[in-house]
Amino acid sequence: MKTLCVPALCLALLPILFTDALGQGVQPVNSKNTRYQLEREVVTRWGKFNPKWYFILFHNKYRKGPDRRNMLQLAPTMALLNQNKVKAEAQEEAVSQVYEQEMFKFADRSLNKGYHLLYKKKIDELNTALLGMNAEAVQAGVQADYILAIHAERDRINADIGIILDAYLDDAKKGEQLRVYIGELTALRNDFRRLISLFKTSQDLTD
């Protein structure tokens, strides 16, 4: 008897429990105005302002205004887009500044101020002296091979000077190399003089 009473008791309590669950669960919205309010909040719908007299009297500006629900939904996205825009503009400005600085450095290094102020005059004087000694060398009887070798070396030094002037280097580093080449041109001029003097002496002894 006890085994049969338990199922019967459960069946008797089911309607009561089901009714209680419905009472505590989601209730249907019977109010038309409440339903419109919920639709304005969660559905893409903005025109149901009922009771109409209430919104006209107290919230007419709200009723005629834009869809504020969508504006609130888009606010985080718009804020993120604006933040990204600010970052992009800052990065663009930083890149522009770096580009302008590099262009200024390139222009400054391409001007070769140190060369024109300190070294060009001396280099030109040495090249002029080497070329001017050709006639004297020929008159002293210096062989053509020696003269050609001297001027081949001069051309090599001048080519290296041109490479340094075109290089993307600071004036200080260019100055170091230019002083080396001035030393080489000076040594070449002195060697040419000694060679001419040697041939002159040999010629005088022969005479």
Side-chain angles (χ1 to χ4, degrees), residues 85-162:
K85 180 182 177 183
V86 172
K87 288 183 178 179
E89 290 176 350
Q91 290 175 353
E92 183 180 358
E93 184 178 355
V95 170
S96 298
Q97 290 177 352
V98 172
Y99 174 77
E100 291 174 0
Q101 290 173 359
E102 290 301 316
M103 288 300 296
F104 177 79
K105 289 179 182 178
F106 178 78
D108 186 54
R109 291 171 179 177
S110 301
L111 290 174
N112 294 315
K113 297 189 298 291
Y115 165 74
H116 291 287
L117 291 173
L118 302 173
Y119 307 111
K120 185 177 185 302
K121 182 178 179 180
K122 183 63 176 178
I123 291 171
D124 289 344
E125 288 177 353
L126 290 167
N127 279 296
T128 300
L130 285 165
L131 290 172
M133 294 165 68
N134 285 342
E136 186 179 358
V138 172
Q139 187 177 3
V142 178
Q143 296 177 8
D145 291 345
Y146 293 147
I147 297 174
L148 291 174
I150 291 289
H151 287 290
E153 181 64 10
R154 181 185 67 85
D155 291 341
R156 193 273 305 171
I157 296 171
N158 283 312
D160 289 343
I161 290 173

Side-chain angles (χ1 to χ4, degrees), residues 3-131:
T3 306
L4 293 173
C5 289
V6 173
L9 183 61
C10 291
L11 288 172
L13 292 174
L14 276 175
I16 300 172
L17 294 172
F18 184 72
T19 304
D20 186 59
L22 285 176
Q24 295 180 2
V26 177
Q27 297 293 326
V29 178
N30 295 321
S31 171
K32 181 173 61 177
N33 296 330
T34 303
R35 186 170 68 254
Y36 290 153
Q37 174 65 27
L38 292 173
E39 287 177 354
R40 284 197 300 273
E41 292 177 359
V42 298
V43 184
T44 55
R45 185 173 184 176
W46 191 248
K48 295 289 184 178
F49 292 97
N50 288 320
K52 193 170 184 179
W53 62 267
Y54 172 79
F55 282 94
I56 291 175
L57 287 176
F58 299 105
H59 301 290
N60 196 42
K61 186 176 180 181
Y62 172 80
R63 181 178 68 90
K64 290 186 175 181
D67 189 340
R68 297 175 185 273
R69 183 203 59 250
N70 289 341
M71 290 173 64
L72 291 174
Q73 290 175 349
L74 292 175
T77 303
M78 296 301 294
L80 180 61
L81 290 175
N82 186 60
Q83 184 180 7
N84 291 339
K85 180 182 177 183
V86 172
K87 288 183 178 179
E89 290 176 350
Q91 290 175 353
E92 183 180 358
E93 184 178 355
V95 170
S96 298
Q97 290 177 352
V98 172
Y99 174 77
E100 291 174 0
Q101 290 173 359
E102 290 301 316
M103 288 300 296
F104 177 79
K105 289 179 182 178
F106 178 78
D108 186 54
R109 291 171 179 177
S110 301
L111 290 174
N112 294 315
K113 297 189 298 291
Y115 165 74
H116 291 287
L117 291 173
L118 302 173
Y119 307 111
K120 185 177 185 302
K121 182 178 179 180
K122 183 63 176 178
I123 291 171
D124 289 344
E125 288 177 353
L126 290 167
N127 279 296
T128 300
L130 285 165
L131 290 172

Side-chain angles (χ1 to χ4, degrees), residues 189-207:
R189 182 199 60 186
N190 294 339
D191 290 342
F192 202 8
R193 281 178 177 171
R194 282 194 291 270
L195 184 63
I196 293 171
S197 178
L198 180 62
F199 272 84
K200 278 184 177 180
T201 303
S202 176
Q203 191 178 48
D204 290 340
L205 291 174
T206 303
D207 294 341

